[in-house]
Each structure stands twice: as structure tokens, then as C-alpha cells.
Amino acid sequence: MLVNMNDVLIPARKQKYAVGLFNAVNMELARGIIAAAEEAQSPVIMGTAEVLFPYGPLEEVSYYLLPMARKAGVPVVIHLDHGLKKETCLKALELGFSSIMYDCSTDSYEENVRKVKEMADIAHSYGATIEGELGHVGDNEGSAEGDSRQEDPSKYYTDPAMAKDFVDRTGIDALAIAVGTAHGAYKLPPKLDFDRIRTIARTVDVPLVLHGGSGLTNEDFSHAIREGISKVNIFTDINIAAVEGEFRQFSSMSKGLTDLIPAAVEAVKQETMKKMRLFGSDGKASAKAGEVCSGDHSDEVRKIARLVAAELKKYQN
């Protein structure tokens, strides 16, 4: 069932577990993620990020992500991660994504507030949820998710007092925070600022998001979730798992793509299930989430949303 972030993250925040976002730039990744969620009976967030469009353009991934979410027997959020441009976020909403992230974290604070507030109003008119980022989560060398490497990441950590102001002024549904992680594979183990996570979680009233999760230890994840993280973003681990699964299956040049696809799907499924169990979301696919189903864009709801969005644009212009 297609839902939005509030349907899965508000229960997670209350019950002290986390829901994973797993990016799916092709069918193998998406099939593995959905299979894992259904077997683990876990809510899941699935989507893509703007920097991943070269591997799976936004409109093309929507052709399989949205129908798979609607057919799934568990709550599935279809989320645009790290939307960098206003036009990208609007396109995702029009396509039917039930959630977006508008990442203006490299802008000035006031510009970040202004742009995210504007997008939050639009997203909510579609019945979708929105995530913002305060501070900035950089990238490890060679990351598929970007190239914003930082000399001293601690300079970009999220300030708890600013976090409250940011949430209050923008109306976002979830807040991504910078506390010591980075996208991509780590050369050295990251050091998370757990005290900062705890302080921010007590300061704001929306779920907190941990980006750059791949490469953390199991204890890092568990500790971060105990301190207040409700959503964890994962891509590198399942991306690598898919390739390793195909390598194990490949034995000669006589093999075809159809020999490798099932191995990739199964490897992604197993890696995703590991994360779901670690995050504590397994067994949490409550039927109550389906009753709300506020991200499920029926044709009628989407027609109304377009009209509201069109009216908003008149005032913005």
C-alpha cells in the first residue's frame, strides 16, 4: 500500500525503532526491497535521489516504484531523496511520489528556510510529506550519491537550537541532521555525535533522519535509534550486495543477464532484511497504516491536488 512518511515515521518515533529508506534505481533493487519488506512485515521507504538520475531517470523509475508500492502488502513510501532543484521536487509530486526531500542545506540558513517552507506548502497540498536538511551531510570519495566532500565535517553539524526554529518555520515532516556520517563507503569508521542526536530529538517534534548510514556498525545504528533517529538512509550496502550476488552467480561468458537477475534480487532482499531487523521495523507493518493511506494518490485526490497547486503557483508568481 502506498503511504506517506508520517504514516510510518510517527509510529517509529513513538516506539523507538527506525524505518529504512532504500534507493532503487532499477527493478532488481526494487524487487529485492519489496520482497524483504513483505517477508519481514516491515514498513519501508523506497525511492531515488536526484544524483542517481543518470542510472535511473525520475520518470522511468516512477513507472515501477509506484505500482509496486500500491500492490505491496505492507506500507511503502515512495520518496524523492535529496531533491536539489524545485523543478525536480514538483515533477516527483506530479508523478505521484508520496514524499520528497528538498535539500537546500548548502544555501544560507534563511534561504534554506524560505525555499523549504514554500515546497512544504506545495507537497502538503498533494497529500505528500517533506523532509528538509539542516547542517550538511557530505560525501565520501567515490560516492554514487554526490561529491561534496568536507575537510572538517563537524563544522557542518546540525545546531539543536536552529533545528527547532527550522522545523517550526518550515512545517517539514522530518528533519535530516548532520551528526558525523557521510554518503558512500567509508575508508575510516565514522564517529557519530550521539549527544547531539539526543538533544535534537528532545528539541524538535518531528522524526529525525540519518543520512550516510551505509558503513556504520550495528551498535552505531542501534545507539542512534535509541537516541532518536526514526529514518535511516541506505544505498551503498544494497548496491554492493546486488553486484556481489551477481558475481557469485557468474561463472562463464555463456551466462546471460537472466541468469544474474535472480541473484541480484535475492542479495538485495537479504541485505535489506538485515537492516530492517537491525532497525527494529520488522513486524511493524500494522494494518492501521493502511487505513490512513494518506500518500495513496487516487485519481480524484490527484486532480484536486493539481488544482490546489495551480492556485498556490498563482500567488507565488
Side-chain angles (χ1 to χ4, degrees):
M1 63 197 76
L2 179 64
V3 299
N4 69 30
M5 272 200 308
N6 284 341
D7 297 324
V8 301
L9 292 191
I10 291 175
R13 185 171 186 260
K14 289 178 179 177
Q15 297 177 46
K16 294 290 186 181
Y17 63 89
V19 180
L21 161 72
F22 303 90
N23 284 317
V25 297
N26 68 9
M27 281 288 290
E28 287 77 20
L29 288 161
R31 287 171 61 197
I33 294 163
I34 291 290
E38 292 188 325
E39 185 165 326
Q41 280 298 288
S42 171
V44 69
I45 305 169
M46 184 168 65
T48 189
E50 187 161 348
V51 293
L52 296 177
F53 290 174
Y55 315 106
L58 180 62
E59 189 163 351
E60 290 183 16
V61 300
S62 75
Y63 298 157
Y64 58 85
L65 289 180
L66 290 160
M68 290 174 78
R70 292 189 181 102
K71 288 175 60 179
V74 295
V76 181
V77 181
I78 299 302
H79 180 75
L80 170 69
D81 192 33
H82 288 290
L84 303 175
K85 297 189 290 290
K86 178 180 179 180
E87 295 74 20
T88 304
C89 293
L90 293 175
K91 180 66 173 177
L93 292 169
E94 181 62 25
L95 287 168
F97 277 54
S98 59
S99 187
I100 60 170
M101 176 192 184
Y102 192 21
D103 183 358
C104 305
S105 60
T106 58
D107 292 335
S108 70
Y109 179 70
E110 288 299 329
E111 188 69 357
N112 190 358
V113 169
R114 183 189 69 78
K115 290 164 70 173
V116 173
K117 162 63 176 167
E118 176 187 47
M119 188 56 63
D121 291 341
I122 296 171
H124 291 155
S125 77
Y126 277 84
T129 43
I130 182 169
E131 175 184 331
E133 181 172 320
L134 184 63
H136 183 62
V137 179
D139 305 286
N140 287 302
E141 186 176 355
S143 169
E145 299 184 66
D147 58 2
S148 57
R149 292 183 289 281
Q150 301 161 348
E151 295 275 329
D152 182 3
S154 65
K155 292 180 180 178
Y156 301 90
Y157 282 4
T158 305
D159 177 82
M162 289 181 74
K164 177 169 174 50
D165 183 70
F166 185 76
V167 169
D168 290 346
R169 290 173 62 187
T170 59
I172 55 173
D173 302 289
L175 176 66
I177 56 175
V179 290
T181 55
H183 300 115
Y186 293 91
K187 288 186 177 180
L188 296 172
K191 294 182 179 180
L192 296 187
D193 189 338
F194 296 109
D195 290 339
R196 189 177 298 267
I197 296 173
R198 184 189 316 117
T199 301
I200 297 171
R202 292 174 177 175
T203 303
V204 304
D205 58 1
V206 298
L208 300 182
V209 182
L210 185 69
H211 285 248
S214 296
L216 298 182
T217 67
N218 287 354
E219 177 52 32
D220 284 336
F221 281 122
S222 297
H223 194 172
I225 292 166
R226 286 197 303 271
E227 299 299 352
I229 292 294
S230 303
K231 173 176 175 273
V232 180
N233 287 19
I234 298 292
F235 179 61
T236 301
D237 285 355
I238 62 170
N239 193 29
I240 291 173
V243 174
E244 289 177 343
E246 290 178 338
F247 277 168
R248 286 192 294 269
Q249 184 67 16
F250 188 84
S251 59
S252 70
M253 289 303 294
S254 64
K255 293 280 188 180
L257 186 60
T258 51
D259 297 303
L260 306 182
I261 288 173
V265 172
E266 182 63 22
V268 171
K269 174 186 172 184
Q270 294 303 324
E271 185 61 32
T272 302
M273 286 180 66
K274 285 181 188 176
K275 292 294 191 291
M276 290 171 168
R277 294 186 187 110
L278 178 60
F279 301 163
S281 65
D282 55 318
K284 302 296 196 306
S286 168
K288 290 183 180 179
E291 293 171 8
V292 180
C293 209
S294 52
D296 192 352
H297 295 164
S298 66
D299 290 340
E300 192 60 34
V301 170
R302 292 186 65 195
K303 285 177 184 176
I304 295 170
R306 286 193 197 95
L307 292 172
V308 173
E311 289 300 312
L312 280 171
K313 287 178 183 176
K314 289 179 184 177
Y315 290 104
Q316 291 160 7
N317 294 333

